Amino acid sequence: MTTPPQVPPSAPVPSLSQPSAATTVPDVIDLPSGNELDASAAAELQGAQQTRLIVVAGPVGAGKTTLITTLHDLFQTGKIGGYAFSWSRTLPAFERRCHLSRIASERSVPDTERTKFGDVRYLHIQISGPELPDNLLDLLFTDVSGESFELARDSIAECQRLHFLKVADDFLLLIDCEKIIDRKKRNQVIHDATLLLRSCLDSGMLGASCFVDVLWTKYDFVAAAGNGEHASFLEKATQEFQKQFSSRVGKLSFRRVAARPADVDGLEFGYGLPELLQEWATESPRDRTMDLLPDEELGSRESEKFLQRHFSSESDSK
Amino acid sequence: MTESALNQFVMIGLPATGKTSFLAALWYLVQHGEVEHRLALERMEGDSKHLNQISSLWASFEVVPRTSTGIERTVSMVLNDTVKQKTITLTFPDLSGESFMSQWIDRHFTPSYDEFLKDSVGGVLFISPLNYHKPVRIASAMPLLKEMGEAGQSDGAKDDEGSILWDPTQAPTQVQLVELLQFIAGREYFKPPFRLALVISAWDELLKGAKTSPAKWLADEMPFLAQFLESNRRLFDFNVYGVSAQGGDYNKGGDELAGLTASERILIEGDGVTNAHDLTELLTWLMR
């Protein structure tokens, strides 16, 4: 016999706002908010699955949030250097941050909503790609106000309040090239950046295995200036960073980035980001240190946890 | 003839994506022998008033009204699989597109949808190629918009700097759809792989342009969703179809369409489709 449908065909489902006296039916089934993650949710994610924590550091206006949201925007047009979008716990949070760069905002010039001073928040993207362990990699980005890093630069105690530094896999130090092309400001910009990195290291917050990437953000300003002097200044600054810090961190790299470049020849939207993603996907500071996780926990990621939940007996039997 | 268990599928789609038109065409198709189709109506069962109403409108070239917000209706069909000679009972919830938009905005399921999803073995995700939001960046669009004089014309709420405030309903469609699928995969009862037929509706409109396939259209126009699905094949076993339930625009091609038998108006294209008029091939793929 055919099993009769549980609900009569074409019958409106009984109103759930008036449940029968015998049952208690919730009005709604709550779903994840999709908001940026707080420290507790980020820790939960890191505990449940292998996650790469990327600290995006720099002063106010250096382009921290723009850098992260541009990754989200780039994935909306296709894969990034062979890596595909796989999952995100914070889609609405990304969308809100992208809004001022979209025509829906009715702005004539793109912008990014300023991150407010306060507690650290995190944005999440999971990527997939053939070279990755289990084909997947979870990326967790800090979204912290520039004011917090300015305080950390000036005070060891303030720096030690930034607990996320302790577990960072990558520390992106953003240096604003719009200021670099100003001869009166550029030395101070480099000076402030070195102070911030020094504070993070001297406070014991940034681990010796952490990868540090110095990002020359808004590089389109240097490219548009077409001035060899600026390039020469960046070269000298690079040498200074290497001299001071290369022996104190897991890896010290330098990259030119223009997340949202002006119309400059050779600089595409998201310039420099595919190379950054490639680095995250192919080289881990954890590869250079002891393996902290037992084998059975490796490869436990966002989508995989569903599979583990449902296929665990299958894999056990193999 | 053997009997089979209930086959329950969710129909997912934002507003005006063709869910109800699909049901109307399907209900007509399975009752008539105008074209070959694998699944045929075996018997009427229960209350078919809603299906009868929408299929009558469909047959007389009238636009099938969209499902009203707030109405949660379930429809069932008892069909005969003419190849396997067995009876299949298909059950779908016919929910409004606004209810799916509400999932994205308000971040909740209704308990009835959650219950239905729990017992569903797959789903059909509807996408309109005529009405979807793309993530358009200012830098890429502003020169053209200025030329057309169309920059900054809406009257939405604005912030202190005169920018329109973020409105989640205007978020890119592909992002909204990814979130709806993440919601499904995130439920504790979710059993992968979840079979998912993606329906690009109004396919006749796309056939007028450059030749494309449903899967290529999805990859080109909604790469974020396409990447999500490719990355999560172990969670979602999917196939992409182009479907024209109406056959064309009633206002523009009504006379031409009227010359066809009603079931010939239906078009379906996609991997594995052997009969371009047989909507039930999509259902047999879901039940394979």
Side-chain angles (χ1 to χ4, degrees):
Chain A
M1 285 293 291
T2 305
T3 308
Q6 292 169 350
V7 180
S10 299
V13 173
S15 167
L16 291 159
S17 59
Q18 296 175 323
S20 68
T23 58
T24 305
V25 180
D27 288 340
V28 293
I29 308 294
D30 289 329
L31 298 166
S33 73
N35 291 334
E36 51 278 5
L37 306 178
D38 60 16
S40 162
E44 189 185 324
L45 179 69
Q46 288 177 283
Q49 49 209 72
Q50 225 181 62
T51 303
R52 187 156 182 155
L53 178 64
I54 299 162
V55 172
V56 188
V60 173
K64 297 181 293 300
T65 307
T66 302
L67 182 91
I68 310 168
T69 56
T70 298
L71 270 179
H72 173 72
D73 251 345
L74 275 174
F75 275 125
Q76 294 204 42
T77 60
K79 291 182 180 180
I80 305 177
Y83 299 100
F85 167 79
S86 176
W87 197 279
S88 174
R89 293 188 177 201
T90 54
L91 285 178
F94 271 116
E95 282 299 313
R96 266 197 308 277
R97 285 162 174 76
C98 287
H99 174 63
L100 295 179
S101 70
R102 303 239 181 95
I103 60 168
S105 69
E106 296 198 351
R107 293 180 60 87
S108 55
V109 178
D111 198 2
T112 303
E113 190 175 278
R114 194 74 65 220
T115 302
K116 293 184 177 65
F117 179 60
D119 293 336
V120 59
R121 292 288 182 265
Y122 301 84
L123 294 164
H124 170 249
I125 298 180
Q126 184 188 70
I127 61 170
S128 73
E131 297 166 0
L132 299 167
D134 304 324
N135 289 330
L136 296 169
L137 176 66
D138 283 278
L139 304 173
L140 200 55
F141 299 93
T142 61
D143 188 25
V144 183
S145 71
E147 288 89 341
S148 297
F149 288 110
E150 288 167 7
L151 289 172
R153 177 193 66 202
D154 296 336
S155 160
I156 291 291
E158 287 292 340
C159 194
Q160 287 171 335
R161 291 164 62 98
L162 305 182
H163 300 293
F164 54 83
L165 290 171
K166 276 274 190 190
V167 286
D169 294 297
D170 299 86
F171 183 83
L172 308 184
L173 180 59
L174 275 61
I175 301 180
D176 184 350
C177 283
E178 185 176 4
K179 292 179 178 160
I180 290 289
I181 61 169
D182 184 334
R183 287 180 181 176
K184 290 181 180 171
K185 289 183 180 169
R186 62 187 186 183
N187 289 309
Q188 184 206 338
V189 170
I190 299 297
H191 180 60
D192 286 349
T194 55
L195 286 174
L196 173 59
L197 184 52
R198 182 178 295 283
S199 180
C200 291
L201 289 166
D202 290 353
S203 62
M205 296 303 287
L206 213 52
S209 63
C210 184
F211 283 4
V212 174
D213 272 291
V214 176
L215 303 186
W216 307 114
T217 59
K218 306 181 198 173
Y219 186 76
D220 46 319
F221 281 91
V222 169
N227 185 335
E229 188 201 342
H230 298 316
S232 169
F233 179 82
L234 292 187
E235 183 57 35
K236 282 179 187 164
T238 298
Q239 289 170 9
E240 181 64 20
F241 271 106
Q242 282 172 329
K243 198 166 137 188
Q244 288 197 45
F245 301 109
S246 59
S247 63
R248 300 188 66 187
V249 297
K251 185 182 172 191
L252 182 63
S253 307
F254 299 84
R255 295 182 188 282
R256 298 166 179 178
V257 169
R260 214 162 46 202
D263 191 12
V264 177
D265 281 350
L267 300 188
E268 300 286 332
F269 179 70
Y271 175 76
L273 295 191
E275 293 77 12
L276 209 47
L277 196 65
Q278 172 86 19
E279 180 184 305
W280 297 330
T282 55
E283 197 175 358
S284 166
R286 298 179 201 192
D287 296 340
R288 297 186 172 198
T289 56
M290 61 185 290
D291 196 352
L292 296 172
L293 289 172
D295 286 348
E296 61 268 27
E297 288 188 22
L298 293 176
S300 174
R301 301 180 194 286
E302 179 72 30
S303 314
E304 293 296 312
K305 75 177 181 177
F306 300 112
L307 298 169
Q308 283 184 3
R309 188 191 306 146
H310 300 290
F311 289 135
S312 56
S313 57
E314 196 177 297
S315 48
D316 289 343
S317 64
K318 286 179 184 170
Chain B
M1 185 176 296
T2 59
E3 303 261 334
S4 74
L6 196 67
N7 288 282
Q8 197 160 286
F9 301 101
V10 283
M11 291 174 60
I12 308 155
L14 296 168
T17 48
K19 297 182 292 299
T20 306
S21 294
F22 176 89
L23 275 182
L26 179 64
W27 187 236
Y28 183 93
L29 177 78
V30 297
Q31 294 184 59
H32 298 273
E34 295 169 351
V35 296
E36 285 189 16
H37 47 91
R38 179 165 165 175
L39 304 182
L41 183 69
E42 182 167 301
R43 61 177 184 269
M44 304 280 281
E45 194 172 272
D47 184 351
S48 303
K49 185 178 175 184
H50 174 64
L51 285 172
N52 291 343
Q53 282 177 337
I54 60 176
S55 63
S56 292
L57 290 168
W58 177 87
S60 54
F61 300 91
E62 290 185 46
V63 175
V64 177
R66 290 169 43 206
T67 305
S68 305
T69 307
I71 290 183
E72 294 191 341
R73 185 188 282 118
T74 304
V75 297
S76 286
M77 301 178 188
V78 183
L79 305 175
N80 170 30
D81 184 334
T82 57
V83 174
K84 293 188 176 175
Q85 289 299 306
K86 68 176 183 181
T87 299
I88 297 160
T89 300
L90 289 177
T91 305
F92 302 95
D94 184 17
L95 304 184
S96 69
E98 284 76 8
S99 68
F100 289 98
M101 179 69 85
S102 175
Q103 290 179 10
W104 158 250
I105 297 169
D106 302 324
R107 324 293 293 178
H108 60 67
F109 283 168
T110 61
S112 54
Y113 177 78
D114 194 54
E115 276 299 313
F116 197 92
L117 183 62
K118 193 183 292 181
D119 296 325
S120 295
V121 294
V124 187
L125 172 61
F126 290 83
I127 299 169
S128 168
L130 308 178
N131 175 29
Y132 62 100
H133 295 296
K134 292 187 86 166
V136 184
R137 287 182 284 111
I138 291 168
S140 60
M142 191 46 69
L144 184 62
L145 286 174
K146 277 183 177 167
E147 201 172 294
M148 295 165 66
E150 290 187 4
Q153 289 187 336
S154 87
D155 53 2
K158 295 184 176 178
D159 65 15
D160 295 342
E161 294 183 3
S163 306
I164 296 288
L165 297 175
W166 183 62
D167 174 359
T169 65
Q170 302 301 308
T173 301
Q174 57 178 348
V175 174
Q176 295 186 40
L177 295 179
V178 165
E179 190 75 303
L180 297 187
L181 295 177
Q182 289 189 162
F183 286 155
I184 291 172
R187 300 300 293 151
E188 59 188 15
Y189 51 74
F190 179 70
K191 300 181 197 73
F194 185 86
R195 288 208 177 120
L196 187 69
L198 286 95
V199 168
I200 316 300
S201 60
W203 189 246
D204 55 285
E205 291 291 329
L206 295 184
L207 292 176
K208 294 172 186 171
K211 177 68 180 162
T212 187
S213 70
K216 184 167 187 322
W217 184 89
L218 186 80
D220 290 346
E221 296 298 315
M222 298 201 172
F224 195 68
L225 174 60
Q227 289 171 70
F228 173 81
L229 290 165
E230 283 294 344
S231 298
N232 292 289
R233 270 198 178 273
R234 294 184 71 191
L235 299 178
F236 294 100
D237 177 11
F238 70 96
N239 199 10
V240 191
Y241 297 91
V243 169
S244 174
Q246 288 192 176
D249 186 332
Y250 295 156
N251 295 323
K252 294 176 188 167
D255 291 341
E256 194 179 322
L257 290 174
L260 302 171
T261 60
S263 300
E264 283 177 334
R265 284 160 48 195
I266 298 168
L267 293 174
I268 179 166
E269 184 179 329
D271 283 350
V273 171
T274 56
N275 177 349
H277 300 300
D278 184 8
L279 268 190
T280 71
E281 289 204 14
L282 179 155
L283 302 174
T284 51
W285 178 83
L286 281 172
M287 294 184 292
R288 77 194 192 283

